[in-house]
Amino acid sequence: MDAGLRIPAERMEVNGLGLVVETEGDGPPILLVHGFPLDRTMWRHQMDALVGWRRIAPDLRGMGLSDAPDLGYSMAAYAEDLLQLLDRLEVDQAVLCGLSMGGYVAFELLRRARSRFRGLILMDTRAEADTPEGRRGREAMATAVRERGASAVAEALLPKLTAPGALEADPELAGRVRRMIEGTPVPGILGALTAMKDRPDSTDLLPSLAGLPTLVLGGDEDAITPPDGMAALAKAIPGARLEVIEGAGHLAPMERPEATTRAVRGFLTGLV
């Protein structure tokens, strides 16, 4: 795992598994849900900087230091894990923030427990289900992972995750992302690929989010969830605000941490 893994973090039993969760600060809670195949340390800058909020960053099942069972992966399972985690932390209501696959988990959380969330931040994600081509791509990646392990995902994803030239210009960022990916247990990678491939379409959910303060945030050089898609997502959620992070690809919180945190803090300030 990343040599910069933060302390303190604790292991909590939810749904029969051990999830590792890091918490920082006091104040209204914000739940930070990482993307695939990363871990809670992608939120390092936000965990440090969002003073005045109780920051909660778990490793999803199968990722980071959380348990990685061979079976039992779905958006529903991730969501139920996090709802039980909030119960264990005695959090009645939180702001919900998810990046990429974390956004898919966020949609499932809202389907199941909308009243538990007082605000929503969607980063570099989409509401649509996988296309047939996308599903075939997940299956091909799963085959490669079975044959070559987590390094197969690193090789496939690293060139797409950040803005062009970002990894060459910032070797520390490149190392952090690679270590996160290659440190992800193979069962967790395979489970997440299945969960994403089989996830429901959330497009019909978006109009129902009227009244839930929402920030949609994406990098202007994101090749996976391009800016026009993020703009369409924001338009489909009544009252949502759109923020574009210049010079960022799919990992805005890591590539442009200060700008991302500034946008998040501005949104949160309006909720206090």
Side-chain angles (χ1 to χ4, degrees):
M1 298 306 299
D2 186 359
L5 277 172
R6 296 165 50 94
I7 300 295
E10 60 182 315
R11 178 176 294 271
M12 289 192 167
E13 293 297 318
V14 299
N15 282 334
L17 324 163
L19 289 194
V20 168
V21 59
E22 180 180 339
T23 61
E24 284 285 347
D26 298 310
I30 178 169
L31 176 65
L32 301 163
V33 188
H34 64 76
F36 167 85
L38 307 174
D39 62 41
R40 71 186 191 281
T41 66
M42 65 155 285
W43 301 111
R44 179 182 296 164
H45 190 274
Q46 293 72 42
M47 290 292 285
D48 286 341
L50 291 174
V51 176
W53 289 78
R54 183 185 181 192
R55 289 90 75 193
I56 302 167
D59 286 336
L60 294 172
R61 67 165 60 201
M63 298 189 193
L65 299 178
S66 290
D67 287 352
D70 289 332
L71 301 172
Y73 295 88
S74 65
M75 292 304 148
Y78 294 131
E80 286 299 323
D81 288 347
L82 295 183
L83 289 172
Q84 285 199 24
L85 180 65
L86 291 178
D87 289 343
R88 291 287 312 274
L89 293 170
E90 299 182 340
V91 171
D92 295 326
Q93 197 174 51
V95 174
L96 174 59
C97 175
L99 178 137
S100 194
M101 189 183 88
Y104 308 156
V105 177
F107 291 134
E108 188 62 32
L109 283 164
L110 291 168
R111 264 191 287 271
R112 290 167 177 268
R114 161 79 179 268
S115 65
R116 300 289 297 268
F117 303 102
R118 59 185 293 241
L120 174 64
I121 304 171
L122 297 169
M123 295 188 183
D124 300 293
T125 192
R126 58 167 56 91
E128 299 85 3
D130 274 359
T131 63
E133 180 183 5
R135 290 171 61 86
R136 288 192 293 272
R138 307 269 192 214
E139 291 164 357
M141 184 174 287
T143 298
V145 170
R146 291 186 188 98
E147 293 173 350
R148 306 201 310 276
S151 62
V153 182
E155 292 166 13
L157 287 187
L158 274 171
K160 303 175 185 177
L161 285 176
T162 61
L167 298 181
E168 293 78 8
D170 189 345
E172 181 182 354
L173 172 65
R176 282 186 66 201
V177 176
R178 179 177 288 278
R179 285 192 295 273
M180 270 193 263
I181 295 173
E182 293 184 346
T184 303
V186 165
I189 294 175
L190 296 174
L193 287 168
T194 297
M196 290 188 289
K197 176 173 67 75
D198 295 339
R199 75 184 187 278
D201 192 295
S202 296
T203 306
D204 290 346
L205 176 70
L206 304 181
S208 75
L209 300 181
L212 180 67
T214 299
L215 172 66
V216 175
L217 182 150
D220 69 344
E221 298 188 62
D222 188 345
I224 296 175
T225 52
D228 57 351
M230 297 303 292
L233 176 60
K235 186 176 181 181
I237 300 173
R241 185 166 120 201
L242 176 67
E243 292 267 358
V244 177
I245 304 298
E246 293 186 8
H250 195 60
L251 300 180
M254 298 182 70
E255 296 175 77
R256 292 292 181 268
E258 293 86 0
T260 300
T261 299
R262 188 162 53 248
V264 171
R265 187 186 291 113
F267 173 73
L268 295 176
T269 298
L271 299 181
V272 176

